[in-house]
Amino acid sequence: MLVVDNALGGAELLQLQQWVHDLEQRPGTPNQLLQYDETTADGRTRRCRTENFVPYHDGLRTLLTNGRIPDIAGALLGETAVLYKEKINYKAPGGSGFAAHQDAPAYPYVSNTIACMVAVDDSTLTNGCLEVARGQHAAQLPTDARGCVEPAVAESLPWEALPVPAGSLVFFHCYVPHRSAANTSDSTRRAIYLTYNGESDGELRESYYTKRIHDLADRPDQLSLIGHFAGAAKPAISSNNEEQS
């Protein structure tokens, strides 16, 4: 695991925050820009995730597929890093957290990936920062029917909270157990989560999203190929199904 505090700052961080704000406002589509909402603890409907946005945002595509972020991921993988998938989690006040899980069960076609969390806002103990179990990344842990770490196993792990300031990067392997709590603060905590695979495994992003869209078509309340989201999600699709370009 690697934490890079304040990797993005100043005008670059402000630009990132504006890009994420703009994406959050866009309408969702069934099979292109994927938007999801949840009902938060106060009864409001709030955006909780955006997926598959790189084809529809030039600035974010450049930032996330060129330069320091994929370069660090490549150094950790030991070869050139290729983007496998991307998502933004918007954890609004009262927004739900994620159960303990490893990424590997949710990622078909590949067995070795590196994730990078990009902190768009300050990530704190009260707004549901990332929690990890260091030293537990050697193999897949027992999973339950949702694809999450078995609750009894999860309770035995040495969890560590990772609060980081906005602009920081957190890199971790696909077998690192992680989770996050609900947001009990009064402000939204946004974070981009990226997954990279090694170049030798091929360009898998399109295959992943084709499978994801197909497999979740009859599971509209699920955010991922595993059921780790603690809330109830629903696709946020434009009434006219307007496609993004």
Side-chain angles (χ1 to χ4, degrees), residues 24 26-39 45-51 212-224 229 231-239 241:
E24 184 180 0
R26 293 191 189 184
T29 67
N31 55 17
Q32 292 189 342
L33 184 67
L34 306 176
Q35 301 277 31
Y36 295 88
D37 292 342
E38 68 166 319
T39 301
T45 297
R46 303 290 292 268
R47 186 127 299 163
C48 62
R49 176 172 290 187
T50 300
E51 285 236 16
R212 184 187 192 284
I213 291 165
H214 175 270
D215 289 1
L216 295 186
D218 60 353
R219 290 181 282 170
D221 60 343
Q222 196 160 308
L223 281 184
S224 175
F229 183 53
K234 59 181 180 181
I237 299 172
S238 172
S239 60
N241 289 337

Side-chain angles (χ1 to χ4, degrees), residues 43-92:
R44 299 177 65 187
T45 297
R46 303 290 292 268
R47 186 127 299 163
C48 62
R49 176 172 290 187
T50 300
E51 285 236 16
N52 192 32
F53 57 82
V54 158
Y56 313 111
H57 197 288
D58 292 343
L60 283 169
R61 179 169 61 252
T62 298
L63 177 66
L64 306 179
T65 61
N66 296 280
R68 81 193 80 172
I69 297 177
D71 285 352
I72 295 172
L76 295 171
L77 286 164
E79 60 177 313
T80 299
V82 178
L83 186 64
Y84 176 87
K85 69 166 290 182
E86 74 280 352
K87 62 189 180 233
I88 303 169
N89 285 345
Y90 312 93
K91 195 176 287 188

Side-chain angles (χ1 to χ4, degrees), residues 33-175:
L33 184 67
L34 306 176
Q35 301 277 31
Y36 295 88
D37 292 342
E38 68 166 319
T39 301
T40 56
D42 60 4
R44 299 177 65 187
T45 297
R46 303 290 292 268
R47 186 127 299 163
C48 62
R49 176 172 290 187
T50 300
E51 285 236 16
N52 192 32
F53 57 82
V54 158
Y56 313 111
H57 197 288
D58 292 343
L60 283 169
R61 179 169 61 252
T62 298
L63 177 66
L64 306 179
T65 61
N66 296 280
R68 81 193 80 172
I69 297 177
D71 285 352
I72 295 172
L76 295 171
L77 286 164
E79 60 177 313
T80 299
V82 178
L83 186 64
Y84 176 87
K85 69 166 290 182
E86 74 280 352
K87 62 189 180 233
I88 303 169
N89 285 345
Y90 312 93
K91 195 176 287 188
S96 302
F98 292 81
H101 63 284
Q102 295 165 294
D103 286 341
Y107 296 164
Y109 315 121
V110 68
S111 60
N112 185 39
T113 62
I114 290 289
C116 176
M117 185 197 81
V118 184
V120 179
D121 304 304
D122 292 342
S123 185
T124 70
L125 297 175
T126 57
N127 67 21
C129 67
L130 187 68
E131 301 174 31
V132 300
R134 292 183 189 263
Q136 308 295 314
H137 58 280
Q140 180 66 53
L141 297 172
T143 58
D144 62 14
R146 301 170 298 165
C148 299
V149 177
E150 282 280 4
V153 174
E155 286 303 311
S156 72
L157 297 176
W159 293 103
E160 172 190 349
L162 285 180
V164 294
S168 299
L169 310 175
V170 180
F171 292 86
F172 55 96
H173 189 263
C174 60
Y175 284 138

